[in-house]
Structures are given as C-alpha cells and as structure tokens.
Amino acid sequence: MHTYRDLYAVRQFRVVFAANSTNVAGTTIQQLALSALVFAGTGSALWAAIAYLAGFAPQALGAMTLISLADRVRPRTFLPLWDCVRAAVALALARTGLPVWTMLCLVIAVGVGDAVAAAVRQALLVDILGDGLYVLGRSVLNISVGGMQILGYAVGGTLLGVLGPHVALLGSAAAALTTAAVVAVGLASYPPRATGRSVLSATFAVNRVLFTTPAIRTLLLVQWVPNGLIVGAEALFVPYAGNFAGILFVSAAVGMLVGDVIVGRWVPTATRLRLILPLQALLALPYLVFFLEPTVWAGAVAVALASFGFASSLALQDLYVRAVPADLRGQAMGLVGSGMMTCQALAAALAGGLADLSRAGTAIAVCATLSLAVGLALHPSLRRRAMSLASQR
C-alpha cells in the first residue's frame, strides 16, 4: 500500500489538493446561502431543494455537448479563467433584490461550464498520480471534501446567522478567486490530450463509445443513481431542520470523511471491491429512520452512519478509470461527474416535490428506499463487470 507521505511528496498533487479545498468550501457556502435565500423568499421545500442543487442538473447539457473540451484545453489556463467566472456569478447573486428565477438562471448557466471544469480536474488527477496513487489520492480529495464542507457549513452558517445570505455569497466569491490564484501560480503546464474534429462531433462520438460499452455503462449507472438519490435527500435538510440544518450537513460530511479515511487508506483493493454492495446499502438504510420524523440529533447520528457508505465510490472510481481508454479519460471522467451532478439535482427536485406533498422526513426516507432498490438491482451486473476488470489488472 502507498502512504500519505508518498502522496504528498507529489508537488502537483499538493496544488490540486489546495485548489480543491478552497473550491469545495466556496461552493458549499454558496449552496447553503442560496438555498436559505430561496426558502426564505418562497417558503417552498421544492424550491429550496432546487436552489441547493441548481447548478448540478445543467451539467448533463455540458456533458452532452462540450465535454470533449476537457481533453483539448490546458488546465493551467482554463481552470483559473473558469474560477473567475464563478466568482463573478457569486458577486451577482450577492446583490439584493434579484428575483428567484434570475438567481437560478445564473447558477444553471454556470452549471453547463462546470461540467467541463470538473472533467479537467478529475482527469488531471489521474495524469498527476497514475494508477498506483490514484485511489489514495481520490480518497484524500474526498476527505478534503468532507472537511471543507464542514468548514463551509460552519462559515456559511455563521455568516447566514450573523450577516445574512448576501454576505455569505461574498465569501463564496472570495473562495473562487483564491482557487484561481492557487492553480494559476502552482500548477504545471499540462498539454491537451486531443486535437482534431469539432467539439460537438468529438463529444457525440466519444459519448457513444462510452454508453455502448457494457462495462462502462454499468459503472456509470451505479455511480449515478444510488448516490444521487441520497444527495437528493440531503437537499431537504433545510426544510426538515430549519436553522439546525447545519447539524445534519456537518454529520454527513463527518461520516463521509471517516469512510474515506478508513476505506481509502487501510482497505486493500480486493476487499474494497467486495464491499461495494454493503457500503451502498449502508448509504441508504439509516435514512429510513426519517419515516419516524426523528429529532435533529437522532437524525444526525443516522446521517453520519449512512454517509460512511459514500466510500463505495472509491472502488467504483478505480474500476472506471481502468475501464476507459487513456486518450478519452478527460471526457470519460467528465461524463461520470456530470451524470452524478445531474442525478443529484433530479433527485433533489423529486425529493422536494414529495416533501411539498407530504413531509420532508417522509421524502428523505423514500429517496433512501429508492437508492437501496436501485443499488440491489444493479449489483449482479456490476459484480460481473468488476470481476472482469479486476482480472485484467
């Protein structure tokens, strides 16, 4: 097994880690502030859930049309420019008096470009670390997501409570500018992976290859749907817990952090593969307690326990990287990431609609039930694909 010392000895990984940390913190603050702003203005759980994940659904459009750009741009140039765009949007959202539909349109527009940016970041990680360190590096980045989400919710919640959502959005803009500076100064120059045909035609052609390859298609679905439904349930934390929603968000981040530390660092590859189904089941089962409308603190325990199950993504991502051709890696990583974001946004809309028709707790539990059912249905096919890919190592 590789160690954390091996990982942090790679200077370019340290740059990616720092940029990812500030990016996650800023995005978390923006999501929390925008959801609170929309919920205060509309009183609707549906609109609050849509606002929380509004930037995710449009990533499907980016993945279907522009994602081949991920293999055609220089990361050191593209990523800082895009972070500046994100900062400008956060500043626009911070203006008082913007209608809800205007705020959502701005976030949705950014979501299309975020699909390309996410693909560039994910493929860059593979380029930097290679096969040997990739899983550990992916684990550490997931850990940083948990840690920076905790920080983002803490800072965002404090700003919301003391200064209001508009100031919190200014904090999000500052984080985006910091991310741009880190990448521009610290990242080495990596060349594009591909040239040639137009962006649209390249995107369509590569997506066709990815969707028609059985092993890749199975790995896409199993990463998109079960986890997406659970994140959709998380979008209801604000309607469920109100001002105490931060407790649930922090519990989710802590559970995910612990899972990634244990599974990413200490569990061997073969064992990780066998744990995919148990971890995906764990991701859903504790949420069933929300049928009983638990207190915030009881719900926080269930959420923390469930979020340990997000560690199943480590084995799935490792299998996926090995399944896709190296020259298509940027677009392939972008497709899986954008699909996850889109499923999360659609699940949030589903959860919000159910909550408006019943109760937030009931909607959370229904999403968990669906996640468990889909995971069980996909597992036989996944097991066959995993055994086939593992034998090719």
Side-chain angles (χ1 to χ4, degrees), residues 274-359:
R274 291 195 296 269
L275 287 177
I276 289 174
L277 180 60
L279 287 173
Q280 287 199 318
L282 177 63
L283 184 61
L285 285 172
Y287 275 98
L288 299 182
V289 75
F290 281 88
F291 274 125
L292 304 177
E293 298 287 328
T295 65
V296 172
W297 289 108
V301 172
V303 167
L305 180 62
S307 296
F308 188 100
F310 278 118
S312 64
S313 65
L314 294 175
L316 294 170
Q317 289 166 351
D318 186 26
L319 287 172
Y320 185 72
V321 167
R322 295 176 183 276
V324 300
D327 59 335
L328 306 181
R329 189 172 286 156
Q331 183 165 342
M333 299 300 286
L335 182 63
V336 69
S338 297
M340 289 171 65
M341 299 298 101
T342 301
C343 284
Q344 290 170 11
L346 294 176
L350 171 65
L354 290 173
D356 277 348
L357 294 174
S358 56
R359 298 177 300 179

Side-chain angles (χ1 to χ4, degrees), residues 15 26 135 144 147 201 248 284 292 302 327 371:
V15 174
V135 171
S144 75
S201 62
L248 298 178
L292 304 177
D327 59 335
S371 174

Side-chain angles (χ1 to χ4, degrees), residues 8-341:
Y8 282 101
V10 182
R11 180 181 180 277
Q12 291 302 295
F13 176 77
R14 298 197 300 269
V15 174
V16 171
F17 177 84
N20 185 72
S21 297
T22 54
N23 178 58
V24 170
T27 301
T28 301
I29 293 171
Q30 179 172 308
Q31 287 178 292
L32 184 59
L34 188 61
S35 180
L37 197 62
V38 170
F39 187 62
T42 64
S44 168
L46 173 60
W47 283 110
I50 289 173
Y52 182 73
L53 295 175
F56 290 1
Q59 293 201 20
L61 177 60
M64 293 297 105
T65 57
L66 302 176
I67 202 69
S68 65
L69 277 174
D71 290 314
R72 296 162 181 266
V73 298
R74 293 182 179 273
R76 187 179 178 181
T77 302
F78 177 80
L79 291 176
L81 288 175
W82 186 248
D83 286 324
C84 289
V85 171
R86 291 175 49 248
V89 170
L91 290 173
L93 293 172
R95 292 184 58 190
T96 58
L98 283 180
V100 169
W101 67 268
T102 301
M103 292 188 289
L104 293 180
C105 285
L106 284 172
V107 175
I108 288 170
V110 171
V112 177
D114 276 341
V116 179
V120 173
R121 295 188 193 99
Q122 292 177 55
L124 181 63
L125 184 65
V126 184
D127 292 343
I128 290 171
L129 299 179
D131 290 341
L133 282 169
Y134 174 73
V135 171
L136 185 60
R138 183 70 262 173
S139 168
V140 168
L141 288 189
N142 288 350
I143 292 167
S144 75
V145 168
M148 298 311 294
Q149 282 181 338
I150 293 171
L151 178 63
Y153 288 129
V155 173
T158 301
L159 291 174
L160 282 174
V162 177
L163 300 173
H166 298 287
V167 175
L169 288 166
L170 292 177
S172 174
L177 291 174
T178 302
T179 303
V182 168
V183 174
V185 173
L187 190 65
S189 179
Y190 289 86
R193 293 180 193 81
T195 57
R197 71 176 94 185
S198 71
V199 171
L200 282 175
S201 62
T203 298
F204 295 154
V206 173
N207 282 350
R208 188 181 305 113
V209 171
L210 297 175
F211 282 124
T212 56
T213 303
I216 295 176
R217 184 173 61 245
T218 299
L219 286 165
L220 286 171
L221 290 174
V222 80
Q223 290 181 86
W224 287 350
V225 184
N227 290 17
L229 285 163
I230 297 302
V231 176
E234 291 178 358
L236 292 179
F237 285 172
V238 171
Y240 184 84
N243 292 334
F244 298 98
I247 296 172
L248 298 178
F249 283 119
V250 169
S251 297
V254 169
M256 185 174 68
L257 186 152
V258 173
D260 281 314
V261 169
I262 294 174
V263 176
R265 174 63 182 89
W266 303 110
V267 177
T269 299
T271 305
R272 278 198 300 264
L273 294 176
R274 291 195 296 269
L275 287 177
I276 289 174
L277 180 60
L279 287 173
Q280 287 199 318
L282 177 63
L283 184 61
L285 285 172
Y287 275 98
L288 299 182
V289 75
F290 281 88
F291 274 125
L292 304 177
E293 298 287 328
T295 65
V296 172
W297 289 108
V301 172
V303 167
L305 180 62
S307 296
F308 188 100
F310 278 118
S312 64
S313 65
L314 294 175
L316 294 170
Q317 289 166 351
D318 186 26
L319 287 172
Y320 185 72
V321 167
R322 295 176 183 276
V324 300
D327 59 335
L328 306 181
R329 189 172 286 156
Q331 183 165 342
M333 299 300 286
L335 182 63
V336 69
S338 297
M340 289 171 65
M341 299 298 101

Side-chain angles (χ1 to χ4, degrees), residues 361-390:
T362 300
I364 289 172
V366 168
C367 286
T369 303
L370 293 173
S371 174
L372 183 61
V374 173
L376 290 172
L378 289 173
H379 184 68
S381 178
L382 172 65
R383 183 177 177 81
R384 292 194 298 272
R385 307 303 179 195
M387 292 177 64
S388 174
L389 290 169

